[in-house]
């Protein structure tokens, strides 16, 4: 009652002040009729005035996606599906909200309320380019490299620049929210969306996601981090569950989200599909209240993934602010009214869903500045393309280079470029759909591998002929390989949303042109001319390569994006010295580490009382599939080191055309900064010297790891910082990085669960810091740290 009286008094004051203070809102609203449009008030004050003016019907409409036709002309769109898809049916007449915005069946809009001055909010899908928003006519947008390629740069500035491009092009598309970056960890190499995620390491993921988030939001576009949490596989993603020990949840899988929430202030978060430790993510108070809001201080809003809510009341109480679906299934007016009438939720609960989203809208200017037209003129596609090329170059990882086979020079007179169209005939973009013939970002141009090679050959003045073979006839490919001085064999994988990889080899693809097989082509080339073959991998991560010992050179190019041809050719010919480092470990077998057993991945069926099987609601007959993260903290490089298993290529690994030497490690204690008192220990400065000991200029991503005292119960060392340096031949640089106790990644600390055996209460506990001997490791990969030093620390 007191809150209501105070609000009435505040409203009266604002109404009186509006008689003498002109409104600044750009949407034509006046303070007299819409006091919440007074831009002199804080976002919080404006939001309370707006909530007080809304009816319950309006409030219920504002917490779910609306799918409507924003075009200003054309025919009514009629969708008439049957069966389980019937709820997506409807008639959608053009309404003129955004001229030129063609109807998008999977639209991601929250429809505005014109009489209240609330604009329609449009969201576009994330990943590595702007596509899949509220308008079907996707814009011309920059096709960036896949996210592991961006992570492999180990470059903060380039990831900020990726965010800047994504934010700028989202704004040009008249959209307000960018659904990304994706921040789940690459727990195993089968993950169907690993190409959207950064790394197996939580620190690298968090640091680069922070940069991308800042880059996007600095353009006036809201970020939506996804998918929180446990979304490390696509197999039965709508119904499956994960069982993750508390320490692993907090120290690994939740840590990148925590870092980004604390350090980049993202506007929103997307809750994921899985049943996380017994409760579906979007219904989980443990996830969305205890961890996200209470422990981390998150003040933004949460949107569900499509069809990820399972219970109306639980989702409202947990704080899922918006339901994403074709039409609302749980945030319907009928279901909410039933819950209100039954006293299961209150109007305050609904206000709590709306409040943070309106505050963010006002803070970003979205309540006052209409996004009522497309603005392609603010984008420089050529400049963004040049940046995309640099990202692809800096993220490419040279895995093998026997006897300096690379870089190529003018001596070869013939190059055989071999591989199926997807990887060797066209620029390989990040997938954006659910089939082998994928949709991709609509780019202003692309550069094919052959075009890129011919560009560089011409620029360098060489007399080399490039001949392309698409692998449809392995015998013809073998003949070309045998007759050529150098073979460039380009192979890859093609996972996509809703489907995990079924092999760590190189699958056949079902394309419009027919079945395109890769393994027969690889076998043919390996018999014909392996000693002169460079294999260029265009994969989402780990591949099993039984022919590795036969070839002199292997380059991991990921999915390079629209500048594929130029970027890869520049690396192969040494115009650019490779400097990428692996953001995940490349193992040797189909089953090891966190994917050693079926129980770990993809899981086994358990009678939990919840539906299982494929599809949004299961198949009606299967028990729920549960993936058990029994490896705990032993995931990625931590497993290989803890179990003394040598991988094919370790985390952080990458060769160069030059060599680097590390020397003179010093560790200095830092006092009186961060949370510590004036004279208390607050962190350490780690200093070392890197020297380019080769003949060409190059970049080295130096990595700093930390081993905690035994008391912390860690399986091995952890990445806590990195620095990429650019050195001329013979040049040295002294590098100093600071590691603070108060850093958001808790570098010196470990999580102590309140109830270690109670998975349901995984968020309850505290971070603890052990006193004792820490060990600092510095080097070029997780497995190569020539500089090590023990240091006693007492925080």
């Amino acid at each position: 009652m007191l809150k209501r009286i105070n609000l009435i008094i505040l409203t009266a004051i604002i109404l009186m002040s509006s008689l003498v203070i002109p409104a600044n809102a750009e949407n034509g609203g006046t303070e007299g009729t819409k006091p919440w449009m007074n831009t002199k008030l804080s976002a919080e004050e404006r939001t309370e005035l707006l909530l007080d003016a809304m009816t319950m019907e309006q409030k219920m409409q504002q917490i779910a996606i609306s799918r409507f036709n924003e075009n200003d002309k054309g025919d009514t769109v009629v969708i008439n599906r049957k069966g389980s898809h019937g709820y997506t049916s409807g008639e959608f007449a053009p309404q003129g909200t955004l001229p030129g915005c063609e109807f998008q069946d999977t639209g991601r809009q929250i429809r505005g309320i014109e009489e209240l001055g609330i604009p329609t909010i449009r969201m576009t899908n994330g990943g590595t380019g702007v596509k899949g928003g509220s308008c079907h006519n996707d814009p011309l947008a920059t096709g960036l490299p896949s996210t592991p390629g961006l992570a492999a740069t180990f470059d903060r500035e380039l990831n900020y620049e990726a965010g800047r491009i994504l934010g700028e092009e989202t704004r040009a598309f008249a959209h307000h929210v960018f659904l990304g970056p994706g921040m789940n960890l690459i727990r195993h190499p089968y993950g169907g969306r690993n190409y959207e995620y950064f790394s197996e390491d939580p620190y690298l993921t968090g640091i680069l996601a922070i940069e991308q988030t800042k880059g996007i939001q600095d353009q006036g576009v809201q970020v939506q981090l996804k998918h929180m949490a446990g979304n490390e596989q696509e197999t039965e993603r709508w119904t499956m569950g994960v069982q993750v020990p508390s320490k692993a949840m907090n120290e690994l899988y939740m840590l990148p989200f925590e870092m980004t929430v604390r350090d980049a202030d993202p506007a929103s978060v997307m809750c994921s599909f899985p049943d996380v430790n017994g409760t579906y993510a979007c219904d989980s108070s443990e996830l969305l209240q205890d961890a996200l809001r209470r422990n981390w201080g998150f003040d933004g809003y949460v949107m569900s993934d499509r069809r990820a809510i399972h219970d109306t009341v639980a989702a409202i109480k947990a704080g899922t602010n918006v339901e994403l679906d074709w039409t609302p299934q749980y945030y319907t007016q009928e279901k909410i009214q039933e819950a209100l009438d039954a006293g299961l939720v209150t109007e305050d609960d609904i206000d709590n869903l709306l409040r943070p989203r309106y505050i963010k809208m006002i803070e970003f200017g979205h309540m006052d500045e209409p996004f009522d037209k497309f603005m392609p003129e603010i984008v420089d596609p050529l400049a963004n393309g040049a940046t995309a090329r640099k990202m692809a170059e800096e993220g490419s990882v040279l895995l093998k280079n026997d006897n300096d086979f690379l870089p190529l020079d003018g001596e070869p007179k013939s190059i055989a470029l071999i591989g199926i169209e997807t990887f060797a005939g066209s620029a390989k973009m990040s997938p954006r759909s659910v089939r082998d013939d994928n949709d991709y970002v609509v780019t202003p141009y692309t550069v094919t591998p052959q075009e890129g090679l011919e560009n560089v050959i011409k620029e360098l003045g060489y007399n080399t002929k490039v001949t392309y073979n698409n692998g449809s006839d392995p015998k013809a490919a073998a003949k070309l390989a045998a007759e050529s001085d150098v073979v460039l064999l380009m192979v890859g994988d093609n996972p996509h949303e809703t489907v995990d990889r079924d092999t760590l080899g190189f699958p056949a693809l079902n394309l419009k042109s027919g079945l395109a097989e890769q393994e027969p082509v690889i076998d043919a080339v390996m018999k014909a001319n392996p000693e002169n073959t460079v294999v260029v991998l265009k994969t989402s991560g780990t591949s099993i390569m039984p022919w590795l010992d036969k070839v002199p050179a292997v380059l991991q190019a990921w999915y390079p994006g629209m500048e594929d041809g130029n970027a890869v050719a520049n690396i192969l010919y040494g115009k650019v010295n490779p400097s990428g480092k692996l953001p995940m470990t490349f193992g040797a077998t189909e089953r090891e580490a966190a994917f050693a057993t079926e129980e770990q991945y993809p899981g086994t069926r358990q009678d939990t009382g919840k539906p299982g099987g494929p599809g949004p609601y299961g198949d009606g007959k299967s028990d729920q599939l549960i993936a058990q993260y029994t490896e705990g903290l032993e995931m990625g490089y931590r497993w290989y080191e803890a179990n003394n298993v040598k991988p094919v290529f370790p985390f952080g690994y990458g060769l160069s055309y030059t060599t680097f030497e590390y020397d003179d490690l010093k560790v200095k204690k830092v006092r009186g900064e961060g949370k510590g008192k004036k004279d208390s220990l607050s962190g350490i400065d780690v200093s070392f010297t890197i020297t380019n000991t080769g003949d060409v200029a190059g970049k080295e991503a130096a990595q700093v790891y930390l081993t905690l005292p035994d008391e912390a119960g860690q399986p091995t060392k952890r990445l806590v910082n990195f620095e990429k340096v650019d050195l001329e031949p013979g040049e040295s640089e002294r590098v100093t990085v600071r590691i603070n106790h108060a850093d958001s990644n808790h570098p010196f600390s470990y999580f102590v669960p309140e109830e270690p055996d109670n998975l349901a209460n995984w968020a309850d506990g505290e971070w603890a810091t052990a006193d004792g001997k820490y060990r600092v490791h510095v080097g070029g990969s997780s497995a190569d740290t020539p500089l090590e030093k023990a240091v006693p620390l007492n925080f």
Side-chain angles (χ1 to χ4, degrees):
M1 185 65 179
L2 183 59
K3 175 184 174 183
R4 179 77 175 175
I5 293 171
N6 288 338
L7 191 56
I8 292 171
I9 294 171
L10 175 62
T11 304
I13 293 172
I14 301 306
L15 284 170
M16 292 175 63
S17 67
S18 69
L19 299 175
V20 293
I21 302 175
N24 295 324
E26 296 179 14
N27 67 354
T30 66
E31 297 172 23
T33 56
K34 302 187 184 81
W36 53 88
M37 299 306 295
N38 182 352
T39 58
K40 295 184 183 298
L41 297 176
S42 69
E44 290 77 11
E45 290 171 323
R46 292 177 63 181
T47 295
E48 295 307 323
L49 291 169
L50 174 57
L51 290 174
D52 191 53
M54 296 175 71
T55 66
M56 178 54 70
E57 184 177 357
Q58 289 170 330
K59 291 177 179 180
M60 289 189 282
Q61 178 266 321
Q62 284 281 290
I63 60 174
I65 293 294
S66 301
R67 184 161 135 263
F68 66 103
N69 189 351
E70 295 206 65
N71 208 341
D72 59 335
K73 55 189 176 183
D75 297 328
T76 295
V77 176
V78 179
I79 296 177
N80 186 19
R81 295 190 179 98
K82 297 179 181 180
S84 62
H85 297 285
Y87 77 107
T88 70
S89 300
E91 295 187 8
F92 305 93
Q95 299 184 36
T97 317
L98 178 61
C101 175
E102 296 178 11
F103 176 74
Q104 169 64 277
D105 185 27
T106 57
R108 299 171 173 89
Q109 305 130 300
I110 303 177
R111 186 164 190 161
I113 303 176
E114 186 175 355
E115 61 267 29
L116 294 177
I118 302 174
T120 290
I121 293 297
R122 304 178 196 93
M123 309 182 185
T124 187
N125 219 349
T128 50
V130 176
K131 178 183 175 64
S134 297
C135 304
H136 187 66
N137 46 319
D138 290 312
L140 290 179
T142 307
L144 298 174
S146 53
T147 307
L150 292 170
T153 67
F154 274 69
D155 191 303
R156 293 170 174 85
E157 292 182 6
L158 277 180
N159 277 270
Y160 177 89
E161 187 65 10
R164 184 200 63 76
I165 291 171
L166 294 169
E168 173 186 88
E169 295 182 358
T170 297
R171 176 63 186 90
F173 191 31
H175 282 54
H176 307 78
V177 185
F178 181 83
L179 305 183
M183 297 171 56
N184 298 98
L185 296 187
I186 301 176
R187 175 179 174 245
H188 56 80
Y190 293 96
R193 297 181 79 174
N194 282 354
Y195 58 85
E196 290 188 45
Y197 305 146
F198 291 89
S199 172
E200 70 186 28
D201 182 75
Y203 176 78
L204 182 63
T205 297
I207 285 294
L208 299 183
I210 287 167
E211 294 302 322
Q212 287 197 18
T213 297
K214 290 179 177 178
I216 294 166
Q217 294 198 156
D218 282 351
Q219 311 314 306
V221 169
Q222 299 177 34
V223 153
Q224 187 163 114
L225 309 180
K226 63 182 189 183
H227 314 84
M228 200 176 79
N231 206 142
E232 282 76 42
Q233 72 183 56
E234 291 295 288
T235 301
E236 298 190 15
R237 66 176 189 173
W238 288 286
T239 60
M240 63 88 62
V242 296
Q243 293 177 355
V244 191
S246 178
K247 283 178 68 67
M249 271 292 284
N250 288 280
E251 295 186 27
L252 297 180
Y253 301 99
M254 293 289 283
L255 189 59
F257 292 97
E258 178 180 0
M259 292 172 64
T260 310
V261 165
R262 290 186 185 275
D263 293 348
D265 194 22
S268 60
V269 167
M270 178 180 285
C271 53
S272 62
F273 291 117
D275 180 11
V276 180
N277 287 345
T279 307
Y280 284 105
C282 296
D283 301 341
S284 173
S285 292
E286 190 80 7
L287 183 70
L288 304 181
Q289 293 293 351
D290 296 349
L292 180 62
R293 292 180 169 98
R294 183 195 70 192
N295 294 351
W296 306 345
F298 177 68
D299 63 356
Y301 62 95
V302 174
M303 186 171 83
S304 74
D305 210 335
R306 197 179 295 270
R307 288 155 294 173
I309 289 177
H310 292 260
D311 182 277
T312 301
V313 174
I316 290 173
K317 291 293 189 179
T320 298
N321 304 77
V322 180
E323 180 184 10
L324 170 63
D325 211 324
W326 277 266
T327 58
Q329 297 298 289
Y330 290 91
Y331 282 8
T332 64
Q333 295 198 5
E334 294 77 13
K335 288 184 178 180
I336 294 173
Q337 191 60 56
E338 286 177 8
L340 287 167
D341 293 343
L344 299 175
V345 299
T346 66
E347 184 171 358
D348 281 346
D349 292 324
I350 307 303
D351 286 354
N352 288 339
L353 299 186
L354 290 168
R355 185 174 288 109
R357 189 170 71 81
Y358 287 154
I359 289 173
K360 290 300 178 184
M361 285 174 62
I362 294 168
E363 288 177 347
F364 277 80
H366 297 163
M367 192 76 82
D368 304 316
E369 180 185 351
F371 285 19
D372 55 5
K373 64 178 181 178
F374 302 126
M375 295 169 38
E377 67 275 6
I378 71 173
V379 177
D380 185 339
L382 294 181
N384 288 352
T387 303
R389 181 180 69 246
K390 184 177 182 182
M391 293 168 183
E393 292 166 349
E394 299 249 343
S396 293
V397 183
L398 185 60
L399 297 176
K400 184 179 182 182
N401 192 26
D402 287 354
N403 301 315
D404 296 328
F405 191 87
L406 295 176
L408 300 174
D409 55 26
E411 185 175 332
K413 299 307 177 186
S414 59
I415 291 179
L417 172 62
I418 298 175
I420 68 173
E421 174 71 18
T422 302
F423 304 112
S426 59
K428 180 65 180 103
M429 309 282 288
S430 286
R432 296 303 292 268
S433 65
V434 293
R435 56 184 183 272
D436 279 356
D437 260 343
N438 251 292
D439 287 335
Y440 303 105
V441 173
V442 182
T443 59
Y445 67 90
T446 61
V447 182
T448 70
Q450 184 166 354
E451 289 170 342
L453 289 165
E454 291 173 346
N455 288 342
V456 175
I457 289 168
K458 180 179 179 181
E459 181 182 343
L460 296 176
Y462 296 153
N463 182 25
T464 306
K465 179 177 176 57
V466 179
T467 303
Y468 173 55
N469 181 286
N470 67 6
S472 58
D473 181 353
K475 289 183 179 179
K479 185 175 183 297
L480 177 63
E483 295 171 347
S484 301
D485 296 329
V486 170
V487 180
L488 298 179
L489 177 61
M490 297 189 176
V491 295
D493 62 0
N494 201 39
H496 37 77
E497 190 170 352
T498 76
V499 179
D500 286 324
R501 293 169 71 182
D502 58 11
T503 174
L504 299 187
F506 301 92
L509 272 60
N510 289 305
L511 306 177
K512 292 174 183 174
S513 56
L515 186 68
E517 294 188 276
Q518 297 189 86
E519 293 289 358
V521 184
I522 296 172
D523 292 342
V525 170
M526 292 304 159
K527 289 178 182 177
N529 193 2
E531 64 274 12
N532 291 304
T533 295
V534 177
V535 178
V536 178
L537 301 174
K538 296 182 179 179
T539 68
S540 59
T542 301
S543 297
I544 303 296
M545 298 172 277
W547 37 259
L548 184 60
D549 290 339
K550 296 180 180 180
V551 299
V554 178
L555 178 71
Q556 171 60 272
W558 315 103
Y559 307 150
M562 61 190 264
E563 280 273 351
D564 178 335
N566 285 333
V568 172
N570 286 345
I571 294 283
L572 294 175
Y573 272 93
K575 277 193 65 184
V576 174
N577 192 347
S579 62
K581 301 277 192 171
L582 287 179
M584 78 283 287
T585 307
F586 274 34
T589 69
E590 300 270 351
R591 285 288 186 183
E592 59 190 46
F595 50 104
T597 67
E598 184 182 356
E599 286 77 15
Q600 292 170 294
Y601 169 81
T604 53
R605 300 206 180 275
Q606 297 182 18
D607 182 6
T608 62
K610 297 176 182 177
Y617 307 107
D619 59 12
K621 58 186 178 182
S622 298
D623 287 336
Q624 190 177 31
L625 186 70
I626 302 292
Q628 300 176 62
Y629 292 31
T630 53
E631 71 279 358
L633 296 176
E634 291 187 12
M635 187 270 285
Y637 64 87
R638 292 164 167 84
W639 182 87
Y640 290 89
E641 298 219 348
N643 293 278
N644 199 28
V645 175
K646 185 178 181 180
V648 178
F649 299 112
F651 172 86
Y653 170 87
L655 299 175
S656 170
Y657 295 150
T658 189
T659 53
F660 299 96
E661 184 177 282
Y662 289 78
D663 194 21
D664 193 19
L665 173 64
K666 295 189 183 308
V667 180
K668 177 185 175 183
K669 297 179 182 180
V670 179
R671 299 187 178 277
E673 298 189 14
K675 295 180 180 178
K677 297 179 182 178
K678 185 175 181 181
D679 295 322
S680 64
L681 181 65
S682 61
I684 56 175
D685 281 342
V686 178
S687 301
F688 51 93
T689 299
I690 304 179
T691 302
N692 182 343
T693 53
D695 299 326
V696 296
K699 297 179 180 180
E700 170 71 346
Q703 300 149 49
V704 180
Y705 297 84
L706 193 64
T707 297
L708 274 58
D710 292 344
E711 166 187 332
Q714 303 294 299
T716 182
K717 59 180 178 279
R718 58 170 67 164
L719 182 69
V720 292
N721 215 323
F722 59 87
E723 188 73 27
K724 195 167 189 177
V725 296
D726 191 355
L727 299 172
E728 294 296 319
E731 183 183 7
S732 296
E733 183 171 324
R734 188 70 178 165
V735 176
T736 299
V737 298
R738 177 161 293 181
I739 305 163
N740 289 310
H741 183 256
D743 287 344
S744 60
N745 60 309
H746 309 280
F748 300 97
S749 302
Y750 58 99
F751 192 79
V752 181
E754 205 169 271
E755 300 177 85
D757 297 327
N758 186 352
L759 291 184
N761 289 344
W762 58 265
D764 294 339
E766 61 183 14
W767 290 88
T769 306
D771 294 332
K773 186 178 291 185
Y774 290 73
R775 182 168 288 274
V776 176
H777 315 255
V778 178
S781 79
S782 61
D784 180 22
T785 52
L787 304 183
E788 298 190 353
K789 187 179 184 65
V791 54
L793 298 175
N794 184 345
F795 289 95

